[in-house]
Amino acid sequence: MVCERSEVFASACAIARAFPLFTRRSSASRRAEKKTIAVEFLLVGQNNGPMDLTTLKCLESATEGVRLAARIVDTPCNEMNTDHFVDEIAAVGKELGITPRIFRDEELKEKGFGGIYGVGKAAEHPPALVILSHTPEGATQTIAWVGKGIVYDTGGLSIKGKTTMPGMKRDCGGAAAVLGAFKAAVKQGFKDNLHAVFCLAENSVGPNATRPDDIHLLYSGKTVEINNTDAEGRLVLADGVSYACKDLNADIILDMATLTGAQGIATGKYHAAVLTNSEEWEVACVKAGRKCGDLVHPLVYCPELHFSEFSSAVADMKNSVADRENAQSSCAGLFIASHIGFDWPGVWVHVDIASPVHAGERATGFGVALLLSLFGRASEDPLLNMVSPLGEDEVVETPERDTKRRRLV
């Protein structure tokens, strides 16, 4: 790979996508020895000396994270149901020395997680809310990454058709990206409190399935009238961000999800859509995307004009919009934000990765590089600092770790 030093991180993550891990081709199982790909970087331009071991270690962690996320997304639901996904999270936790906190099945109902429970209660394998927490000494702020982990989305009783259902194994792309990024971030030394929150469910059809017209009480305390069971991702994420706000006391909440088909129409196949209550973070997401290769473009953030789409006569809100031609992807994100409150003083960022989560029939591991880059200033790793939105060309003088207001971007 011939590139400049500033392009090394994005190039390594791009190369990782080209060598997916998951296959069930019979020829692969007959192969006696595994193939090994050696990647050599030849740096050009200024600062073109050899890469040090810390840079190589960072690239290894990042590419492992990308390939982990892609493997989970590529794996079909008969091999990656909620039980399997919990095992994947536990395996990462074990490697990092972190014990996950797990809420499952009836416990979700008892604790008030009506969104996650309502979406997943019809499936054979029960829904789950799983949390991995990294809490280093000297942390000055708390960050929560919340991932949508719908291991399969039939649409529920508002069932998808035979042409739109294939590929719905990828509806866990947000949770997979959060897991891959969390593993890499903690390995490379993350200086702040970091919580990975996984909202896992299979949106299935059965006697216990949620019906349109049902009303669910979510963890935020708000009631939701279901008018579309295929708008399920926002329900599980609403519980996830509410938990991050109320129980984890997060200062920054970022949720990542394959949320809407409309995202591909709004920002295309290659750019994720970002919706946030902070203009500073909107700019930072776009910059981070350009530096790491996981491209991002903003959506309209205007709750005062758009949130009325969810008005209900009998509950606090419906779960799907009245007018599907009015900024669908923005509205879907606003539904999630409403469960922490539009007046919440912290930073909320929503990243919709529905289209870039795959290229053709293969997962891309999209989101891992974006999270590592966006939060690079909270890392001890020099390469992640360089590819952050305040990289080496844009460093702003700030007192080192002295205040709760220390800025990441």
Side-chain angles (χ1 to χ4, degrees):
M1 183 71 211
V2 181
C3 64
E4 295 186 15
R5 189 172 291 271
S6 61
E7 298 163 347
V8 163
F9 182 78
S11 301
C13 292
I15 291 167
R17 293 185 191 103
F19 298 99
L21 289 165
F22 180 81
T23 181
R24 287 295 176 265
R25 285 185 168 176
S26 55
S27 58
S29 62
R30 290 197 299 269
R31 194 180 297 135
E33 57 194 55
K34 291 185 178 179
K35 287 183 179 177
T36 301
I37 308 294
V39 181
E40 182 180 350
F41 279 89
L42 181 62
L43 300 187
V44 296
Q46 294 179 324
N47 194 10
N48 61 3
M51 291 195 291
D52 53 33
L53 284 174
T54 56
T55 300
L56 294 172
K57 183 72 184 73
C58 178
L59 295 180
E60 190 178 287
S61 295
T63 52
E64 279 180 8
V66 170
R67 296 180 84 204
L68 168 65
R71 176 176 63 77
I72 290 172
V73 174
D74 271 337
T75 306
C77 188
N78 63 323
E79 296 182 39
M80 189 57 67
N81 57 45
T82 52
D83 296 345
H84 295 125
F85 208 125
V86 170
D87 291 342
E88 294 279 354
I89 296 166
V92 169
K94 186 177 181 181
E95 188 175 336
L96 300 175
I98 298 170
T99 303
R101 184 158 193 209
I102 303 171
F103 302 97
R104 291 216 76 173
D105 205 9
E106 292 300 317
E107 189 182 1
L108 287 168
K109 187 179 181 181
E110 291 162 14
K111 298 280 186 185
F113 295 104
I116 299 174
Y117 179 77
V119 170
K121 64 180 179 172
E124 178 186 357
H125 302 278
L129 178 69
V130 187
I131 304 97
L132 288 174
S133 296
H134 167 72
T135 51
E137 286 185 22
T140 58
Q141 57 189 348
T142 299
I143 297 154
W145 295 343
V146 183
K148 172 188 170 182
I150 300 296
V151 293
Y152 200 81
D153 183 17
T154 64
L157 292 182
S158 308
I159 198 162
K160 294 178 185 290
K162 65 180 180 181
T163 56
T164 52
M165 201 185 297
M168 283 301 113
K169 65 179 183 179
R170 303 188 191 108
D171 217 12
C172 60
V178 166
L179 183 61
F182 181 86
K183 180 181 178 181
V186 174
K187 269 189 168 183
Q188 294 310 114
F190 202 83
K191 295 183 282 193
D192 282 323
N193 295 325
L194 179 63
H195 302 281
V197 181
F198 304 93
C199 309
L200 307 178
E202 181 182 347
N203 190 20
S204 197
V205 177
N208 295 326
T210 290
R211 298 163 288 265
D213 294 339
D214 285 359
I215 296 175
H216 290 165
L217 175 64
L218 271 57
Y219 194 66
S220 62
K222 293 188 166 81
T223 54
V224 178
E225 179 188 3
I226 307 300
N227 61 334
N228 179 6
T229 65
D230 197 17
E232 84 297 330
R234 63 198 69 180
L235 295 168
V236 302
L237 287 172
D239 278 352
V241 298
S242 185
Y243 180 83
C245 178
K246 289 162 67 172
D247 293 62
L248 302 177
N249 298 312
D251 304 298
I252 300 165
I253 298 174
L254 182 146
D255 72 79
M256 186 169 278
T258 49
L259 202 69
T260 60
Q263 175 273 312
I265 297 165
T267 63
K269 291 181 178 180
Y270 309 110
H271 293 70
V274 64
L275 185 74
T276 171
N277 62 0
S278 164
E279 191 171 355
E280 183 186 8
W281 277 76
E282 182 182 280
V283 171
C285 286
V286 173
K287 281 185 181 177
R290 288 174 182 161
K291 290 197 173 194
C292 73
D294 282 354
L295 299 172
V296 175
H297 193 78
L299 292 173
V300 175
Y301 177 82
C302 192
E304 61 271 30
L305 292 182
H306 289 148
F307 193 66
S308 58
E309 287 287 345
F310 295 105
S311 60
S312 165
V314 291
D316 294 325
M317 65 192 81
K318 291 183 179 179
N319 77 314
S320 192
V321 293
D323 182 357
R324 295 179 71 84
E325 295 182 6
N326 186 17
Q328 262 193 77
S329 294
S330 291
C331 290
L334 291 176
F335 179 94
I336 298 164
S338 71
H339 290 269
I340 49 177
F342 295 120
D343 56 351
W344 183 60
V347 172
W348 169 75
V349 181
H350 163 69
V351 185
D352 191 340
I353 63 171
S355 285
V357 78
H358 71 105
E361 294 193 358
R362 274 296 191 179
T364 58
F366 190 99
V368 175
L370 179 65
L371 290 172
L372 292 173
S373 172
L374 184 58
F375 292 88
R377 298 301 280 177
S379 177
E380 294 167 3
D381 188 272
L383 179 60
L384 294 183
N385 271 267
M386 186 176 82
V387 297
S388 79
L390 285 182
E392 59 181 8
D393 302 325
E394 309 160 77
V395 171
V396 173
E397 290 298 322
T398 52
E400 189 65 26
R401 306 183 60 76
D402 61 343
T403 165
K404 186 95 169 158
R405 305 303 296 173
R406 181 171 67 80
R407 283 162 48 185
L408 288 177
V409 297

